[in-house]
Amino acid sequence: MVINMDVLKRIPVKEQDPKVRARNFEEVCLGYDKEEAMEEASRCLKCKNAKCITGCPVSIDIPGFIKAVEAGDIEEAYQVISKYSALPAVCGRVCPQETQCEQRCIRAIKGESVSIGKLERFVADWARVNDVKPEAAKEKKSQKVAVIGSGPAGLTCAGDLAKMGYDVTIFEALHEPGGVLVYGIPEFRLPKDTVVKSEIENVKALGVKIETNVVIGKSTTIDELMEEEGFEAVFVGSGAGLPKFMGIPGENANGVFSANEYLTRSNLMKAFDENYDTPIAAGQKVAVVGGGNVAMDAARTALRLGAQVYIVYRRSEEELPARVEEVHHAKEEGVILKLLTNPTEILVDDNGWVKGMKCIEMELGEADASGRRRPVEKPDSEFELEVDTVIMSLGTSPNPLISSTTTGLDINKYRCIIANEENGQTTKEGVFAGGDAVTGAATVILAMGAGKAAAKGIDEYLQNK
Amino acid sequence: MYRIVKKESLNPTVTLMEVEAPLIAKKAEPGQFIILRVDSNGERIPLTIADFNRATGTVTIIYQIVGATTQALDHLKEGENIQDFAGPLGRPTETEDFKKVAVVGGGVGCAIAYPVAKKLYEQGCEVHSITGFRNKELVILEEEFKKVSNKLVLMTDDGSYGTKGLVTDALKTLIESGEKYDAVITIGPLIMMKFVCALTKEYQIKTLASMNPIMIDGTGMCGGCRLSVGGKTKFACVDGPDFDGHEIDFDEALTRSSIYKPFERRAHEEVCHLYEMEVK
Ligand SMILES: Cc1cc2nc3c(=O)[nH]c(=O)nc-3n(C[C@H](O)[C@H](O)[C@H](O)COP(=O)(O)OP(=O)(O)OC[C@H]3O[C@@H](n4cnc5c(N)ncnc54)[C@H](O)[C@@H]3O)c2cc1C
Ligand SMILES: Cc1cc2nc3c(=O)[nH]c(=O)nc-3n(C[C@H](O)[C@H](O)[C@H](O)COP(=O)(O)OP(=O)(O)OC[C@H]3O[C@@H](n4cnc5c(N)ncnc54)[C@H](O)[C@@H]3O)c2cc1C
Ligand code: SF4
Ligand code: SF4
Ligand code: FES
């Protein structure tokens, strides 16, 4: 039994050694065992007015499940979580807990917050290993609902509707369901075959049908689903869309990739595994431009494929939008941060391949609309970074495939679908939307929160129809 | 899983397959493509919809065997299944307002050009088709093209069949002889399309080129299929695959198409080797 002498401190969680993991695709964090989890659970005060819940976008009954963990009843803990979340093993791993549930934890006032994410992960992993499934709906309804996209928003919305008894079908453009969970977030943070697949299986076990290889807007349209196929409501969770580029010279040279392409090749198509056919031009010296979670993932993937890796970001470390844990892991593994640096040109050799990147140093000026200090160029500070591969990780802009083929579905000036935050209702009757397609690139749990809100919105709509 | 209902070899390296895919057949328009995966460890590759039959719910693809995936595909027999088959993707070729069009196809590109010629012809447009091949052995779709063209000029590089010369020679001859085209639609190897577009630019004839960059998802997510058109970055899978031929940066596209060459050669060798072992 682990004895925790200091209740102000969390039970530490085991991780793979940075030197070893920098060269493999196995998961970085190894998670708690049952004893450690029970010990950590005992740190929770089971607050009556639990602030942690207010920090969770899907309002998980955190003290409720932690109480069951402390008592050693992990199955009960899982059923508590399952009432609120369809993807606990995913959220326990990739949720930015430190700025959500854990930030509001009462324990955090004096010491370290309860390790809510790691406990959630433990419970979900335990349920998978012990083959415990969420409970399916007892009564079925006849109304059909279509869900577009099988990312966290779509899976959550579908799962919740299925629990209410609706007949739900997910339509997914790719050959594999999961959205960013399968093509974006790498194996070493979120194992695909074990964690993601089994949570998707759980959603299916609730009665949700998933049709892959169906591109809405091309294979069929929302209007057709509603008018010809008998779907009475539709949820759009089609994700963030096309990658952005900087518009600097040399950007279409060979060796310049979007983070989406690089990560898709590695994750969805498993290019890192020699048993799969898809190639990846990994690079020897790689610059990743950007500072979000996506940039960290691309950098750490390139590192594992054998490259020396720079993160090039125009603000300082404080402003990095990636999760603190991810930045910390990246640094530990040997990713080099080139902060306050902005690329101005990609240098190309005679064969059309990247041979370097011209950059300029930046300094922080006045705060801008987002409240962050705006980076400005330092005069005469241009220099060349010697790299053979550049990965652009600058965010995405929505794909018009769905909005342009659906009558009456309005988008805003950023081309995101307009939807009511409370219930997901769009400008078209019976059509709801949520997740990155509405907010632009955000987080797994916000997408799930939106999927959940929309499931309620759809239920109300269909009840009153 | 998508069943192969017919398989036919058109020439030593080009095969036609008819695949059961009713949803795609229902929607397909000339100029669109599908993305397939032969098996669960396979690569996603794009192939144009060469024909479709809404009644039987089948889609025809015509592919050239160039590397690992097309070889693996060619290993499948009638009655067997393709793992994944998604589409129809991309925008249909613009065929509406044309009265007289020259359709210029090169090699396996003729398979992509054929449904476009057919649609134009069915719409009452006058169609002049020019198809080019390296030699007689490689000629495909001759009869099919004849049926949907008011005029067909068949070229071979070595003169072993049809007229000796390049498709650009034939196009130039037709234009010089006074044929007035509303548009030229060209589909084939990048280098051929580059020269067709250079020629039609001289004569200021609107030209559409069907681009086939490397793709992964084909739904507008990865950015791998990007190319420069009129100085702007475009994504072939959602904005194309057809673009204004006079605006495309062909040299950049040529460089980009070679990104995975070193990898592909290796994949090819490994697969050949495997098949050899199976034969033994
Ligand atoms: C590399 C990377 C790392 C990230 N790391 C984190 C992290 O650590 N923590 C975190 O909280 N968030 C992270 N995020 C963000 C998070 O993954 C997303 O915010 C979240 O996945 C959005 O969910 P979604 O359901 O809205 O969309 P997506 O997950 O993008 O799913 C959309 C799905 O819809 C499908 N689709 C799109 N168009 C169509 C169509 N026309 N027809 C049918 N299907 C369609 C897509 O193929 C896809 O499967 C990361 C994102 C990336 C790219
Ligand atoms: C929109 C679109 C439509 C297409 N339609 C057809 C079609 O109808 N029939 C057909 O035979 N082919 C078509 N192609 C090309 C086809 O996708 C490639 O031939 C195929 O991906 C090769 O896969 P592979 O694994 O067999 O060969 P690989 O091992 O990937 O490549 C072998 C050789 O082919 C070249 N190559 C690879 N990908 C492409 C590509 N996308 N375009 C051109 N050359 C490539 C490589 O540089 C290499 O020299 C199309 C491509 C696109 C983008
Ligand atoms: S889902 Fe995310 S925010 Fe909610 S409790 Fe779990 S880790 Fe915290
Ligand atoms: S706020 Fe912290 S201590 Fe209180 S119930 Fe939530 S996790 Fe437990
Ligand atoms: S193939 Fe990925 S964006 Fe076009």
PDB file of all heavy atoms in Angstrom, chain A residues 402-434:
ATOM      1  N   ILE A 402     -20.570  21.064 -46.120  1.00  0.00           N
ATOM      2  CA  ILE A 402     -21.919  20.893 -45.578  1.00  0.00           C
ATOM      3  C   ILE A 402     -22.723  22.182 -45.691  1.00  0.00           C
ATOM      4  O   ILE A 402     -23.839  22.194 -46.205  1.00  0.00           O
ATOM      5  CB  ILE A 402     -21.851  20.407 -44.119  1.00  0.00           C
ATOM      6  CG1 ILE A 402     -21.384  18.936 -44.129  1.00  0.00           C
ATOM      7  CG2 ILE A 402     -23.198  20.541 -43.425  1.00  0.00           C
ATOM      8  CD1 ILE A 402     -21.175  18.339 -42.769  1.00  0.00           C
ATOM      9  N   SER A 403     -22.113  23.313 -45.271  1.00  0.00           N
ATOM     10  CA  SER A 403     -22.889  24.556 -45.289  1.00  0.00           C
ATOM     11  C   SER A 403     -23.322  24.930 -46.704  1.00  0.00           C
ATOM     12  O   SER A 403     -24.402  25.464 -46.905  1.00  0.00           O
ATOM     13  CB  SER A 403     -22.086  25.683 -44.650  1.00  0.00           C
ATOM     14  OG  SER A 403     -20.825  25.812 -45.263  1.00  0.00           O
ATOM     15  N   SER A 404     -22.491  24.595 -47.705  1.00  0.00           N
ATOM     16  CA  SER A 404     -22.841  25.019 -49.064  1.00  0.00           C
ATOM     17  C   SER A 404     -23.850  24.081 -49.723  1.00  0.00           C
ATOM     18  O   SER A 404     -24.374  24.375 -50.782  1.00  0.00           O
ATOM     19  CB  SER A 404     -21.582  25.099 -49.930  1.00  0.00           C
ATOM     20  OG  SER A 404     -21.051  23.808 -50.125  1.00  0.00           O
ATOM     21  N   THR A 405     -24.138  22.936 -49.111  1.00  0.00           N
ATOM     22  CA  THR A 405     -25.080  22.001 -49.731  1.00  0.00           C
ATOM     23  C   THR A 405     -26.355  21.837 -48.911  1.00  0.00           C
ATOM     24  O   THR A 405     -27.145  20.937 -49.174  1.00  0.00           O
ATOM     25  CB  THR A 405     -24.438  20.605 -49.905  1.00  0.00           C
ATOM     26  OG1 THR A 405     -23.946  20.174 -48.632  1.00  0.00           O
ATOM     27  CG2 THR A 405     -23.299  20.630 -50.904  1.00  0.00           C
ATOM     28  N   THR A 406     -26.535  22.669 -47.902  1.00  0.00           N
ATOM     29  CA  THR A 406     -27.726  22.557 -47.063  1.00  0.00           C
ATOM     30  C   THR A 406     -28.508  23.865 -47.142  1.00  0.00           C
ATOM     31  O   THR A 406     -27.961  24.916 -46.799  1.00  0.00           O
ATOM     32  CB  THR A 406     -27.327  22.289 -45.594  1.00  0.00           C
ATOM     33  OG1 THR A 406     -26.392  21.207 -45.566  1.00  0.00           O
ATOM     34  CG2 THR A 406     -28.532  21.928 -44.752  1.00  0.00           C
ATOM     35  N   THR A 407     -29.747  23.796 -47.574  1.00  0.00           N
ATOM     36  CA  THR A 407     -30.528  25.032 -47.685  1.00  0.00           C
ATOM     37  C   THR A 407     -30.840  25.563 -46.295  1.00  0.00           C
ATOM     38  O   THR A 407     -31.209  24.813 -45.394  1.00  0.00           O
ATOM     39  CB  THR A 407     -31.862  24.787 -48.416  1.00  0.00           C
ATOM     40  OG1 THR A 407     -32.513  23.682 -47.775  1.00  0.00           O
ATOM     41  CG2 THR A 407     -31.654  24.469 -49.879  1.00  0.00           C
ATOM     42  N   GLY A 408     -30.643  26.875 -46.126  1.00  0.00           N
ATOM     43  CA  GLY A 408     -31.060  27.524 -44.885  1.00  0.00           C
ATOM     44  C   GLY A 408     -30.128  27.344 -43.708  1.00  0.00           C
ATOM     45  O   GLY A 408     -30.467  27.721 -42.593  1.00  0.00           O
ATOM     46  N   LEU A 409     -28.945  26.763 -43.926  1.00  0.00           N
ATOM     47  CA  LEU A 409     -27.999  26.595 -42.825  1.00  0.00           C
ATOM     48  C   LEU A 409     -26.980  27.729 -42.909  1.00  0.00           C
ATOM     49  O   LEU A 409     -26.137  27.763 -43.797  1.00  0.00           O
ATOM     50  CB  LEU A 409     -27.297  25.236 -42.939  1.00  0.00           C
ATOM     51  CG  LEU A 409     -26.370  24.857 -41.784  1.00  0.00           C
ATOM     52  CD1 LEU A 409     -27.173  24.616 -40.508  1.00  0.00           C
ATOM     53  CD2 LEU A 409     -25.565  23.615 -42.124  1.00  0.00           C
ATOM     54  N   ASP A 410     -27.079  28.683 -41.979  1.00  0.00           N
ATOM     55  CA  ASP A 410     -26.231  29.879 -42.071  1.00  0.00           C
ATOM     56  C   ASP A 410     -24.898  29.712 -41.364  1.00  0.00           C
ATOM     57  O   ASP A 410     -24.796  28.995 -40.370  1.00  0.00           O
ATOM     58  CB  ASP A 410     -26.974  31.085 -41.479  1.00  0.00           C
ATOM     59  CG  ASP A 410     -28.153  31.489 -42.349  1.00  0.00           C
ATOM     60  OD1 ASP A 410     -28.263  30.935 -43.465  1.00  0.00           O
ATOM     61  OD2 ASP A 410     -28.957  32.326 -41.909  1.00  0.00           O
ATOM     62  N   ILE A 411     -23.897  30.424 -41.883  1.00  0.00           N
ATOM     63  CA  ILE A 411     -22.575  30.430 -41.263  1.00  0.00           C
ATOM     64  C   ILE A 411     -22.202  31.871 -40.928  1.00  0.00           C
ATOM     65  O   ILE A 411     -22.788  32.807 -41.466  1.00  0.00           O
ATOM     66  CB  ILE A 411     -21.511  29.810 -42.198  1.00  0.00           C
ATOM     67  CG1 ILE A 411     -21.562  30.465 -43.594  1.00  0.00           C
ATOM     68  CG2 ILE A 411     -21.713  28.310 -42.330  1.00  0.00           C
ATOM     69  CD1 ILE A 411     -20.523  29.937 -44.558  1.00  0.00           C
ATOM     70  N   ASN A 412     -21.245  32.037 -40.012  1.00  0.00           N
ATOM     71  CA  ASN A 412     -20.829  33.389 -39.649  1.00  0.00           C
ATOM     72  C   ASN A 412     -19.650  33.842 -40.506  1.00  0.00           C
ATOM     73  O   ASN A 412     -19.242  33.142 -41.424  1.00  0.00           O
ATOM     74  CB  ASN A 412     -20.528  33.474 -38.148  1.00  0.00           C
ATOM     75  CG  ASN A 412     -19.314  32.631 -37.761  1.00  0.00           C
ATOM     76  OD1 ASN A 412     -18.492  32.256 -38.605  1.00  0.00           O
ATOM     77  ND2 ASN A 412     -19.209  32.305 -36.485  1.00  0.00           N
ATOM     78  N   LYS A 413     -19.064  34.984 -40.159  1.00  0.00           N
ATOM     79  CA  LYS A 413     -18.015  35.525 -41.026  1.00  0.00           C
ATOM     80  C   LYS A 413     -16.747  34.678 -41.001  1.00  0.00           C
ATOM     81  O   LYS A 413     -15.916  34.784 -41.885  1.00  0.00           O
ATOM     82  CB  LYS A 413     -17.714  36.986 -40.690  1.00  0.00           C
ATOM     83  CG  LYS A 413     -17.117  37.185 -39.325  1.00  0.00           C
ATOM     84  CD  LYS A 413     -16.738  38.643 -39.094  1.00  0.00           C
ATOM     85  CE  LYS A 413     -16.261  38.797 -37.674  1.00  0.00           C
ATOM     86  NZ  LYS A 413     -15.962  40.104 -37.220  1.00  0.00           N
ATOM     87  N   TYR A 414     -16.595  33.839 -39.982  1.00  0.00           N
ATOM     88  CA  TYR A 414     -15.460  32.914 -39.971  1.00  0.00           C
ATOM     89  C   TYR A 414     -15.813  31.598 -40.658  1.00  0.00           C
ATOM     90  O   TYR A 414     -15.061  30.644 -40.605  1.00  0.00           O
ATOM     91  CB  TYR A 414     -15.002  32.630 -38.535  1.00  0.00           C
ATOM     92  CG  TYR A 414     -14.668  33.874 -37.762  1.00  0.00           C
ATOM     93  CD1 TYR A 414     -15.501  34.324 -36.746  1.00  0.00           C
ATOM     94  CD2 TYR A 414     -13.522  34.610 -38.077  1.00  0.00           C
ATOM     95  CE1 TYR A 414     -15.194  35.482 -36.042  1.00  0.00           C
ATOM     96  CE2 TYR A 414     -13.221  35.760 -37.379  1.00  0.00           C
ATOM     97  CZ  TYR A 414     -14.061  36.205 -36.375  1.00  0.00           C
ATOM     98  OH  TYR A 414     -13.755  37.346 -35.680  1.00  0.00           O
ATOM     99  N   ARG A 415     -17.004  31.533 -41.234  1.00  0.00           N
ATOM    100  CA  ARG A 415     -17.526  30.362 -41.922  1.00  0.00           C
ATOM    101  C   ARG A 415     -17.873  29.209 -40.975  1.00  0.00           C
ATOM    102  O   ARG A 415     -18.039  28.067 -41.386  1.00  0.00           O
ATOM    103  CB  ARG A 415     -16.577  29.892 -43.035  1.00  0.00           C
ATOM    104  CG  ARG A 415     -16.478  30.951 -44.142  1.00  0.00           C
ATOM    105  CD  ARG A 415     -15.883  30.386 -45.402  1.00  0.00           C
ATOM    106  NE  ARG A 415     -14.449  30.205 -45.287  1.00  0.00           N
ATOM    107  CZ  ARG A 415     -13.737  29.338 -45.974  1.00  0.00           C
ATOM    108  NH1 ARG A 415     -14.338  28.538 -46.827  1.00  0.00           N
ATOM    109  NH2 ARG A 415     -12.448  29.256 -45.823  1.00  0.00           N
ATOM    110  N   CYS A 416     -17.955  29.496 -39.671  1.00  0.00           N
ATOM    111  CA  CYS A 416     -18.420  28.478 -38.731  1.00  0.00           C
ATOM    112  C   CYS A 416     -19.950  28.435 -38.777  1.00  0.00           C
ATOM    113  O   CYS A 416     -20.590  29.454 -39.036  1.00  0.00           O
ATOM    114  CB  CYS A 416     -17.995  28.826 -37.316  1.00  0.00           C
ATOM    115  SG  CYS A 416     -16.211  28.794 -37.090  1.00  0.00           S
ATOM    116  N   ILE A 417     -20.514  27.251 -38.509  1.00  0.00           N
ATOM    117  CA  ILE A 417     -21.970  27.125 -38.500  1.00  0.00           C
ATOM    118  C   ILE A 417     -22.525  27.887 -37.293  1.00  0.00           C
ATOM    119  O   ILE A 417     -21.989  27.795 -36.192  1.00  0.00           O
ATOM    120  CB  ILE A 417     -22.387  25.643 -38.415  1.00  0.00           C
ATOM    121  CG1 ILE A 417     -21.880  24.904 -39.668  1.00  0.00           C
ATOM    122  CG2 ILE A 417     -23.903  25.495 -38.270  1.00  0.00           C
ATOM    123  CD1 ILE A 417     -22.062  23.405 -39.609  1.00  0.00           C
ATOM    124  N   ILE A 418     -23.589  28.654 -37.515  1.00  0.00           N
ATOM    125  CA  ILE A 418     -24.202  29.397 -36.417  1.00  0.00           C
ATOM    126  C   ILE A 418     -25.140  28.470 -35.653  1.00  0.00           C
ATOM    127  O   ILE A 418     -26.032  27.862 -36.252  1.00  0.00           O
ATOM    128  CB  ILE A 418     -24.992  30.612 -36.962  1.00  0.00           C
ATOM    129  CG1 ILE A 418     -24.035  31.562 -37.699  1.00  0.00           C
ATOM    130  CG2 ILE A 418     -25.735  31.327 -35.835  1.00  0.00           C
ATOM    131  CD1 ILE A 418     -24.720  32.706 -38.414  1.00  0.00           C
ATOM    132  N   ALA A 419     -24.914  28.353 -34.340  1.00  0.00           N
ATOM    133  CA  ALA A 419     -25.776  27.482 -33.535  1.00  0.00           C
ATOM    134  C   ALA A 419     -25.940  28.076 -32.139  1.00  0.00           C
ATOM    135  O   ALA A 419     -25.012  28.668 -31.592  1.00  0.00           O
ATOM    136  CB  ALA A 419     -25.172  26.087 -33.433  1.00  0.00           C
ATOM    137  N   ASN A 420     -27.129  27.899 -31.594  1.00  0.00           N
ATOM    138  CA  ASN A 420     -27.425  28.346 -30.243  1.00  0.00           C
ATOM    139  C   ASN A 420     -26.613  27.521 -29.242  1.00  0.00           C
ATOM    140  O   ASN A 420     -26.603  26.297 -29.291  1.00  0.00           O
ATOM    141  CB  ASN A 420     -28.931  28.133 -30.007  1.00  0.00           C
ATOM    142  CG  ASN A 420     -29.367  28.540 -28.619  1.00  0.00           C
ATOM    143  OD1 ASN A 420     -28.614  28.432 -27.650  1.00  0.00           O
ATOM    144  ND2 ASN A 420     -30.594  29.021 -28.527  1.00  0.00           N
ATOM    145  N   GLU A 421     -25.930  28.217 -28.336  1.00  0.00           N
ATOM    146  CA  GLU A 421     -25.037  27.524 -27.410  1.00  0.00           C
ATOM    147  C   GLU A 421     -25.790  26.581 -26.476  1.00  0.00           C
ATOM    148  O   GLU A 421     -25.293  25.534 -26.107  1.00  0.00           O
ATOM    149  CB  GLU A 421     -24.280  28.561 -26.586  1.00  0.00           C
ATOM    150  CG  GLU A 421     -22.825  28.217 -26.358  1.00  0.00           C
ATOM    151  CD  GLU A 421     -22.147  29.309 -25.568  1.00  0.00           C
ATOM    152  OE1 GLU A 421     -21.880  30.394 -26.124  1.00  0.00           O
ATOM    153  OE2 GLU A 421     -21.916  29.071 -24.376  1.00  0.00           O
ATOM    154  N   GLU A 422     -27.021  26.980 -26.112  1.00  0.00           N
ATOM    155  CA  GLU A 422     -27.759  26.201 -25.128  1.00  0.00           C
ATOM    156  C   GLU A 422     -28.273  24.856 -25.653  1.00  0.00           C
ATOM    157  O   GLU A 422     -28.237  23.863 -24.956  1.00  0.00           O
ATOM    158  CB  GLU A 422     -28.946  27.000 -24.595  1.00  0.00           C
ATOM    159  CG  GLU A 422     -28.780  27.339 -23.137  1.00  0.00           C
ATOM    160  CD  GLU A 422     -28.722  28.831 -22.922  1.00  0.00           C
ATOM    161  OE1 GLU A 422     -29.781  29.464 -23.066  1.00  0.00           O
ATOM    162  OE2 GLU A 422     -27.625  29.337 -22.626  1.00  0.00           O
ATOM    163  N   ASN A 423     -28.757  24.860 -26.909  1.00  0.00           N
ATOM    164  CA  ASN A 423     -29.360  23.616 -27.406  1.00  0.00           C
ATOM    165  C   ASN A 423     -28.862  23.212 -28.784  1.00  0.00           C
ATOM    166  O   ASN A 423     -29.366  22.254 -29.369  1.00  0.00           O
ATOM    167  CB  ASN A 423     -30.887  23.738 -27.419  1.00  0.00           C
ATOM    168  CG  ASN A 423     -31.347  24.892 -28.296  1.00  0.00           C
ATOM    169  OD1 ASN A 423     -30.560  25.457 -29.061  1.00  0.00           O
ATOM    170  ND2 ASN A 423     -32.610  25.228 -28.206  1.00  0.00           N
ATOM    171  N   GLY A 424     -27.890  23.925 -29.324  1.00  0.00           N
ATOM    172  CA  GLY A 424     -27.311  23.528 -30.604  1.00  0.00           C
ATOM    173  C   GLY A 424     -28.136  23.864 -31.825  1.00  0.00           C
ATOM    174  O   GLY A 424     -27.725  23.583 -32.961  1.00  0.00           O
ATOM    175  N   GLN A 425     -29.308  24.473 -31.628  1.00  0.00           N
ATOM    176  CA  GLN A 425     -30.192  24.774 -32.754  1.00  0.00           C
ATOM    177  C   GLN A 425     -29.502  25.688 -33.777  1.00  0.00           C
ATOM    178  O   GLN A 425     -28.941  26.710 -33.411  1.00  0.00           O
ATOM    179  CB  GLN A 425     -31.468  25.448 -32.219  1.00  0.00           C
ATOM    180  CG  GLN A 425     -32.436  25.959 -33.282  1.00  0.00           C
ATOM    181  CD  GLN A 425     -33.089  24.833 -34.080  1.00  0.00           C
ATOM    182  OE1 GLN A 425     -33.683  23.928 -33.512  1.00  0.00           O
ATOM    183  NE2 GLN A 425     -32.944  24.885 -35.402  1.00  0.00           N
ATOM    184  N   THR A 426     -29.549  25.309 -35.056  1.00  0.00           N
ATOM    185  CA  THR A 426     -28.988  26.165 -36.110  1.00  0.00           C
ATOM    186  C   THR A 426     -30.112  26.998 -36.716  1.00  0.00           C
ATOM    187  O   THR A 426     -31.242  26.981 -36.224  1.00  0.00           O
ATOM    188  CB  THR A 426     -28.369  25.336 -37.240  1.00  0.00           C
ATOM    189  OG1 THR A 426     -29.425  24.617 -37.897  1.00  0.00           O
ATOM    190  CG2 THR A 426     -27.335  24.352 -36.710  1.00  0.00           C
ATOM    191  N   THR A 427     -29.813  27.664 -37.819  1.00  0.00           N
ATOM    192  CA  THR A 427     -30.832  28.481 -38.472  1.00  0.00           C
ATOM    193  C   THR A 427     -31.796  27.630 -39.289  1.00  0.00           C
ATOM    194  O   THR A 427     -32.738  28.145 -39.873  1.00  0.00           O
ATOM    195  CB  THR A 427     -30.181  29.513 -39.406  1.00  0.00           C
ATOM    196  OG1 THR A 427     -29.275  28.825 -40.285  1.00  0.00           O
ATOM    197  CG2 THR A 427     -29.407  30.556 -38.626  1.00  0.00           C
ATOM    198  N   LYS A 428     -31.562  26.322 -39.378  1.00  0.00           N
ATOM    199  CA  LYS A 428     -32.462  25.455 -40.142  1.00  0.00           C
ATOM    200  C   LYS A 428     -33.236  24.564 -39.172  1.00  0.00           C
ATOM    201  O   LYS A 428     -32.632  23.935 -38.294  1.00  0.00           O
ATOM    202  CB  LYS A 428     -31.644  24.585 -41.100  1.00  0.00           C
ATOM    203  CG  LYS A 428     -32.473  23.702 -42.013  1.00  0.00           C
ATOM    204  CD  LYS A 428     -31.545  22.896 -42.929  1.00  0.00           C
ATOM    205  CE  LYS A 428     -32.279  21.871 -43.752  1.00  0.00           C
ATOM    206  NZ  LYS A 428     -33.019  22.423 -44.884  1.00  0.00           N
ATOM    207  N   GLU A 429     -34.526  24.495 -39.350  1.00  0.00           N
ATOM    208  CA  GLU A 429     -35.351  23.713 -38.430  1.00  0.00           C
ATOM    209  C   GLU A 429     -34.941  22.238 -38.428  1.00  0.00           C
ATOM    210  O   GLU A 429     -34.737  21.636 -39.480  1.00  0.00           O
ATOM    211  CB  GLU A 429     -36.835  23.816 -38.812  1.00  0.00           C
ATOM    212  CG  GLU A 429     -37.701  23.323 -37.649  1.00  0.00           C
ATOM    213  CD  GLU A 429     -39.156  23.099 -38.041  1.00  0.00           C
ATOM    214  OE1 GLU A 429     -39.690  23.888 -38.820  1.00  0.00           O
ATOM    215  OE2 GLU A 429     -39.719  22.116 -37.531  1.00  0.00           O
ATOM    216  N   GLY A 430     -34.802  21.694 -37.246  1.00  0.00           N
ATOM    217  CA  GLY A 430     -34.483  20.274 -37.121  1.00  0.00           C
ATOM    218  C   GLY A 430     -32.994  19.981 -37.246  1.00  0.00           C
ATOM    219  O   GLY A 430     -32.566  18.848 -37.070  1.00  0.00           O
ATOM    220  N   VAL A 431     -32.201  20.994 -37.565  1.00  0.00           N
ATOM    221  CA  VAL A 431     -30.759  20.781 -37.692  1.00  0.00           C
ATOM    222  C   VAL A 431     -30.029  21.460 -36.539  1.00  0.00           C
ATOM    223  O   VAL A 431     -30.242  22.637 -36.257  1.00  0.00           O
ATOM    224  CB  VAL A 431     -30.220  21.302 -39.044  1.00  0.00           C
ATOM    225  CG1 VAL A 431     -28.715  21.097 -39.134  1.00  0.00           C
ATOM    226  CG2 VAL A 431     -30.920  20.591 -40.188  1.00  0.00           C
ATOM    227  N   PHE A 432     -29.183  20.680 -35.867  1.00  0.00           N
ATOM    228  CA  PHE A 432     -28.436  21.146 -34.710  1.00  0.00           C
ATOM    229  C   PHE A 432     -26.952  20.980 -35.018  1.00  0.00           C
ATOM    230  O   PHE A 432     -26.584  20.199 -35.887  1.00  0.00           O
ATOM    231  CB  PHE A 432     -28.843  20.336 -33.470  1.00  0.00           C
ATOM    232  CG  PHE A 432     -30.300  20.497 -33.119  1.00  0.00           C
ATOM    233  CD1 PHE A 432     -31.282  19.878 -33.887  1.00  0.00           C
ATOM    234  CD2 PHE A 432     -30.685  21.288 -32.042  1.00  0.00           C
ATOM    235  CE1 PHE A 432     -32.632  20.052 -33.585  1.00  0.00           C
ATOM    236  CE2 PHE A 432     -32.032  21.466 -31.731  1.00  0.00           C
ATOM    237  CZ  PHE A 432     -33.013  20.847 -32.508  1.00  0.00           C
ATOM    238  N   ALA A 433     -26.110  21.713 -34.309  1.00  0.00           N
ATOM    239  CA  ALA A 433     -24.681  21.597 -34.588  1.00  0.00           C
ATOM    240  C   ALA A 433     -23.881  21.900 -33.338  1.00  0.00           C
ATOM    241  O   ALA A 433     -24.366  22.551 -32.411  1.00  0.00           O
ATOM    242  CB  ALA A 433     -24.275  22.546 -35.712  1.00  0.00           C
ATOM    243  N   GLY A 434     -22.634  21.416 -33.315  1.00  0.00           N
ATOM    244  CA  GLY A 434     -21.778  21.683 -32.166  1.00  0.00           C
ATOM    245  C   GLY A 434     -20.364  21.174 -32.393  1.00  0.00           C
ATOM    246  O   GLY A 434     -20.091  20.472 -33.366  1.00  0.00           O
TER     247      GLY A 434
END
